[in-house]
Amino acid sequence: AGGPKGEGTPSPEGRPSTAGYVTITPLEVGDILPPTSVQVSKPSIKTFAVPQEGKLTLLYFWHTTCTNCWGKLPFLNQLQQKFGDKLQIITVTPESFVRVDTFMRRTKKISDNRLPVVVQDTLLNQRFPHVMVSHVAWLNEAGKVLAITWPDYITEANIQYLLAGNSPGWRVKADLVEYDGQQPLLSFNKAAGYNLVPEQPSYVFWSKANPGLDAKLYRAPVQGGNRITFINAAYSSLIGMAVGGCPRHTNLIQAPDSMLPYLIRPENMYYDDWLIRYTSCFEMFVPGRPDEALVGQKIKDAVESRLGVRIQYDSVQTPVWEISGTGKPLNDKKETIRNRVYDWNFHSPVPIVFIPALAKSGFGEAPLPTDLASFPAFERWCLRNNLSARQTTRKLRILIIQSKQ
């Protein structure tokens, strides 16, 4: 998936079939959705009006196969509870009631979902056509389409902004461009001014990101070798293929500050803005049978040339926070919080390591970003959870990116 924290998953159904249905005009920002009735199947069966009178309405299109889609449902429930009768969030999926009901019952994180769920939908999908989920349509009480966005626009601040009567002016989510990886990017990307495939296929080609496409890697056998195409490639993915992996958190990377947004999307930046500013489409030809070492070297050369940097891994003596102890398991052993140090490193200024690895230990609470902001705060969290922490140094494998200048 190519979206925020994995968003951008194509719905398995693709565009919903319109067979047997009257053609319905898709809506754009500024259009009015006529009063529409939909049947909600969960949490109880009833008819729901869209839009909701006197409320800001969010239509949240999702799918059970998209982890980040359903993973956002608890947060949406919290927003619904906070804003009460000023807001109505309606979740929409083309899947069957049986599939959705079974999935929700078995998935504890969303088993207590209280948001309305429209299943087997075709009507709203035709009004707001899309390929990648999650997909969000924002409507005011008159049914005016205020915005069509990725889900990371759903924040408390943005909801308050619209409830105050403001016009958002956000970038419209675009994801209806078809591409299967079979045609060369050179011929596909006419907007960049290219419409011919080179006579000599040994080429490396870059173009701007295309927000209408899913972030994906394609390999296509062609005469004389293989064509490798990256759509909306984060440089972390390219570097990962070039040198055998790229850390997903900055405390294992030494790089100029200007390089970091190319590797990891800043938390305060919307996915589509980051996509356009910091990712690229990339294509190259590899002659003969694909050799991964050759592929990696060619990608490395291309990235270094494009960004004007040198990329390598090195073993570096690095400050770390070292944890030891048995931990404090939760009362309910089934709900043990595992060793998730990988995730904690997103917020800690230095890497966190366990001595020994506490793979089977649990903790009474997961550390919050505030617990990871400084060593004293982290030490207090450890004490609360029957752990010890100390500051030390270790030799770690660090990704080093240096300017050629």
Side-chain angles (χ1 to χ4, degrees):
K5 297 184 180 179
E7 294 287 357
T9 302
S11 171
E13 286 83 0
R15 292 192 182 91
S17 171
T18 58
Y21 295 89
V22 176
T23 301
I24 295 175
T25 303
L27 298 179
E28 299 178 353
V29 173
D31 291 343
I32 302 294
L33 174 67
T36 303
S37 294
V38 295
Q39 180 169 303
V40 170
S41 299
K42 290 182 72 65
S44 60
I45 298 176
K46 60 181 179 179
T47 300
F48 235 71
V50 182
Q52 289 275 294
E53 184 178 354
K55 299 180 182 181
L56 174 68
T57 300
L58 270 63
L59 300 177
Y60 182 77
F61 296 87
W62 68 292
H63 203 281
T64 59
T65 60
C66 171
T67 303
N68 288 284
C69 295
W70 60 259
K72 203 173 185 73
L73 293 179
F75 173 65
L76 300 182
N77 275 269
Q78 293 173 8
L79 290 175
Q80 183 64 75
Q81 184 175 11
K82 178 177 180 62
F83 287 98
D85 59 6
K86 297 179 181 178
L87 173 71
Q88 182 60 66
I89 301 174
I90 302 173
T91 71
V92 185
T93 176
E95 299 172 285
S96 71
F97 171 79
V98 172
R99 182 184 178 103
V100 174
D101 183 61
T102 301
F103 180 80
M104 284 188 155
R105 289 177 186 274
R106 291 178 178 176
T107 308
K108 185 166 185 178
K109 186 175 181 179
I110 59 173
S111 60
D112 59 350
N113 171 68
R114 305 304 300 168
L115 296 173
V117 182
V118 178
V119 299
Q120 291 181 285
D121 169 71
T122 57
L123 175 60
L124 294 175
N125 269 275
Q126 289 183 76
R127 286 297 192 192
F128 302 99
H130 57 278
V131 174
M132 290 178 283
V133 287
S134 308
H135 187 77
V136 187
W138 305 65
L139 312 172
N140 68 9
E141 61 180 271
K144 182 178 180 180
V145 182
L146 301 175
I148 299 172
T149 70
W150 289 97
D152 57 332
Y153 283 78
I154 305 177
T155 66
E156 184 175 326
N158 281 346
I159 291 172
Q160 290 174 333
Y161 184 77
L162 295 188
L163 287 174
N166 296 301
S167 178
W170 300 327
R171 191 189 308 275
V172 176
K173 176 174 176 277
D175 64 345
L176 292 174
V177 179
E178 298 287 356
Y179 182 68
D180 60 7
Q182 295 304 305
Q183 66 269 46
L185 185 61
L186 280 168
S187 61
F188 172 74
N189 199 347
K190 295 179 180 178
Y194 298 93
N195 55 20
L196 294 175
V197 181
E199 292 183 6
Q200 298 298 322
S202 293
Y203 65 90
V204 170
F205 170 70
W206 295 89
S207 73
K208 293 181 179 179
N210 188 327
L213 292 174
D214 186 23
K216 196 169 182 179
L217 165 65
Y218 298 92
R219 292 178 183 242
V222 294
Q223 184 176 2
N226 282 261
R227 185 176 62 245
I228 298 177
T229 303
F230 294 85
I231 298 297
N232 299 340
Y235 284 86
S236 56
S237 298
L238 296 173
I239 290 172
M241 290 193 68
V243 296
C246 180
R248 293 181 60 193
H249 30 74
T250 57
N251 58 29
L252 291 176
I253 301 173
Q254 289 183 9
D257 289 344
S258 59
M259 267 296 304
L260 294 178
Y262 288 93
L263 304 177
I264 300 170
R265 179 169 67 95
E267 292 187 354
N268 62 350
M269 181 176 287
Y270 292 126
Y271 169 69
D272 48 6
D273 288 339
W274 174 77
L275 188 80
I276 291 170
R277 292 178 61 183
Y278 293 108
T279 74
S280 297
C281 293
F282 170 72
E283 185 170 87
M284 68 180 186
F285 176 83
V286 180
R289 297 183 63 182
D291 177 276
E292 293 308 310
L294 176 61
V295 170
Q297 185 60 51
K298 194 164 185 177
I299 292 174
K300 183 174 182 290
D301 292 344
V303 172
E304 288 183 336
S305 174
R306 183 169 177 82
L307 297 180
V309 297
R310 292 186 179 90
I311 303 167
Q312 66 180 20
Y313 267 105
D314 200 358
S315 183
V316 179
Q317 199 72 22
T318 305
V320 299
W321 295 346
E322 183 182 277
I323 306 175
S324 60
T326 58
K328 183 179 180 182
L330 298 173
N331 294 329
D332 184 353
K333 294 181 180 180
K334 293 181 181 179
E335 291 301 313
T336 296
I337 300 174
R338 300 293 184 183
N339 173 358
R340 299 301 299 276
V341 63
Y342 183 81
D343 294 336
W344 303 350
N345 276 286
F346 280 105
H347 298 284
S348 62
V350 301
I352 300 173
V353 296
F354 282 78
I355 303 295
L358 302 177
K360 295 183 179 179
S361 294
F363 313 102
E365 55 177 310
L368 300 171
T370 52
D371 298 319
L372 299 168
S374 66
F375 182 74
F378 182 65
E379 191 174 33
R380 289 192 293 271
W381 176 85
C382 287
L383 290 173
R384 292 198 302 271
N385 287 277
N386 195 29
L387 296 166
S388 298
R390 69 171 184 146
Q391 295 175 292
T392 184
T393 61
R394 285 264 191 109
K395 269 201 168 183
L396 298 180
R397 191 167 179 255
I398 301 294
L399 178 66
I400 300 174
I401 303 176
Q402 297 175 312
S403 173
K404 287 182 179 180
Q405 296 180 349

